[in-house]
Amino acid sequence: MNYNLIKIENQDDPLNQASDNFISTKNMPDYSSSHWQKIIDSTYAYNTARFCVIGEDNQIHGTSLIYYCPKTGKAFTPRFGLCADNQDVFNILAKAIKDFSTEHQFKDVLITSGHDPFQSEKPHWHKKNIFIPLEYETQEKLWDAVPKKTKNMVRKAEKNGITIRISHNALESFYPLYQSHMLSKQLKIKPRMYFEKLQNEMKEKLVYVEARHNGEIAGYMIFLNNAHNASYLYNVCEHSAARDGANNLMMWNAFCYFYEQNKKFIELGESSENSPVYNFKKRLTKEPRIEDIFYVQLLQSQQRSLSEKIIGKLHAFQMKVLPYMPEAMQTHILLKEDSIGRVI
């Protein structure tokens, strides 16, 4: 089949919608959709570009979204950012991203094709992503697929009076808890504006699972309701509530919620194999789907300049002394850290 590559303009609503619909037919998380493009455009100092490939049958056979920082010369696709029907379409999209990056003099370009293992001559590798299947005949069978230890933690949470509420708008109570949690872990903090844009753009697709412990809000899990699946985005939980099983209870309630909506699976995101987070996700079901996410380094700078090396050393020193800084300064630095490199 012959194919045509098209760079999608932001204002081209029909083509953007058609590309979004294509992602839905592939049964993939929609991180390369026009919705995420708007969120990136409005939150970060990145520019974005979106491409699609149309066949001679006048149907879309692939789409991709990249975001890039002209100042640093780095470009990325989101997770599942390049979605293609076959190797030929993958090659067309990868070449389009490379040509676009060369034209704009980008030095580092990283793309990911999700769990489709397309071939590339460029350096490539994979990470693990865990999927929770939801296609069971009954909710009882879904419960049967939960391991015994996880069931016990769910029961423990219920016994300790932890209650769950599901909503689509909980930003005001979520964000202070999130910021405090990320600060305590010394992890990158996403700005409040990001969650505001996420909530405004996704609306009812955004799902907050709220846990209350002794009547007080103790934790949240955030999910995104895609066409045929759901994506796990964020989790924060106070230590005492987590010890009493709040995370397990929140996740079990998410299983039930998306099961009732006839979703095929919940995508839990990439994790380092055998890390505590990876093992927690893996223990959520007896039948986890563990699949690879494939990464390709399309372009990579051969060597760093002297100024880049100096900046790198200063950054390493800053992160080393971060725990000893005032809390406000730590927050400022961790917010800035989120705007560097991959953001989605």
Side-chain angles (χ1 to χ4, degrees), residues 265-332:
F265 59 83
I266 298 177
E267 175 253 333
L268 296 182
E270 63 192 47
S271 304
S272 300
E273 198 166 1
N274 296 321
S275 68
V277 173
Y278 176 89
N279 290 331
F280 168 75
K281 294 175 180 178
K282 191 176 177 181
R283 289 194 300 266
L284 291 170
T285 178
K286 298 174 184 175
E287 302 171 345
R289 276 175 45 202
I290 302 175
E291 298 187 7
D292 293 330
I293 299 181
F294 291 87
Y295 288 85
V296 179
Q297 190 78 53
L298 279 185
L299 292 174
Q300 187 171 27
S301 53
Q302 297 302 310
Q303 57 183 7
R304 294 193 301 169
S305 65
L306 178 60
S307 62
E308 288 175 324
K309 291 179 180 178
I310 293 173
I311 291 172
K313 288 184 178 296
L314 290 174
H315 178 262
F317 176 75
Q318 176 181 262
M319 298 311 293
K320 187 175 181 179
V321 300
L322 182 67
Y324 307 102
M325 296 180 181
E327 188 172 293
M329 187 175 293
Q330 290 184 45
T331 302
H332 173 76

Side-chain angles (χ1 to χ4, degrees), residues 69-245:
C69 179
K71 183 177 180 180
T72 63
K74 294 184 178 181
F76 310 87
T77 67
R79 278 191 301 130
F80 301 93
L82 194 156
C83 183
D85 270 347
N86 54 54
Q87 182 70 51
D88 289 340
V89 176
F90 171 86
N91 292 341
I92 292 170
L93 288 170
K95 184 178 185 300
I97 293 173
K98 183 180 178 182
D99 291 346
F100 181 84
S101 300
T102 301
E103 177 186 348
H104 289 79
Q105 299 182 327
F106 301 152
K107 297 178 293 183
D108 294 280
V109 181
L110 179 66
I111 67 173
T112 169
S113 65
H115 50 72
D116 292 319
F118 297 120
Q119 300 300 312
S120 175
E121 295 179 355
K122 299 296 182 180
H124 55 276
W125 62 92
H126 64 265
K127 294 182 179 180
K128 296 296 182 182
N129 199 326
I130 297 178
F131 299 79
I132 303 296
L134 299 177
E135 293 185 287
Y136 293 92
E137 292 179 2
T138 64
Q139 188 170 304
E140 287 72 24
K141 291 188 180 295
L142 177 65
W143 176 249
D144 288 342
V146 176
K148 182 178 179 181
K149 288 184 178 180
T150 303
K151 286 180 179 177
N152 289 339
M153 290 300 291
V154 171
R155 295 187 183 106
K156 179 180 180 181
E158 293 173 334
K159 183 178 179 180
N160 282 298
I162 295 175
T163 58
I164 301 296
R165 184 176 77 97
I166 293 178
S167 66
H168 302 286
N169 187 337
L171 179 61
E172 294 302 321
S173 51
F174 162 76
Y175 192 76
L177 189 62
Y178 162 81
Q179 183 171 307
S180 175
H181 173 84
M182 300 302 278
L183 181 62
S184 69
K185 300 287 186 180
Q186 301 285 280
L187 298 173
K188 296 179 181 181
I189 300 174
K190 289 198 171 297
R192 180 187 170 90
M193 180 185 292
Y194 165 81
F195 290 101
E196 290 174 348
K197 298 298 182 182
L198 182 63
Q199 190 162 278
N200 291 338
E201 185 66 29
M202 300 303 184
K203 298 181 173 61
E204 298 298 303
K205 293 175 64 178
L206 196 65
V207 177
Y208 290 88
V209 181
E210 173 190 288
R212 286 181 176 262
H213 195 208
N214 298 323
E216 300 293 328
I217 295 175
Y220 280 101
M221 284 187 179
I222 300 182
F223 296 83
L224 188 59
N225 198 340
N226 304 315
H228 305 293
N229 55 71
S231 291
Y232 164 82
L233 299 183
Y234 303 102
N235 169 222
V236 294
C237 191
E238 293 181 349
H239 179 71
S240 61
R243 185 186 58 214
D244 283 343

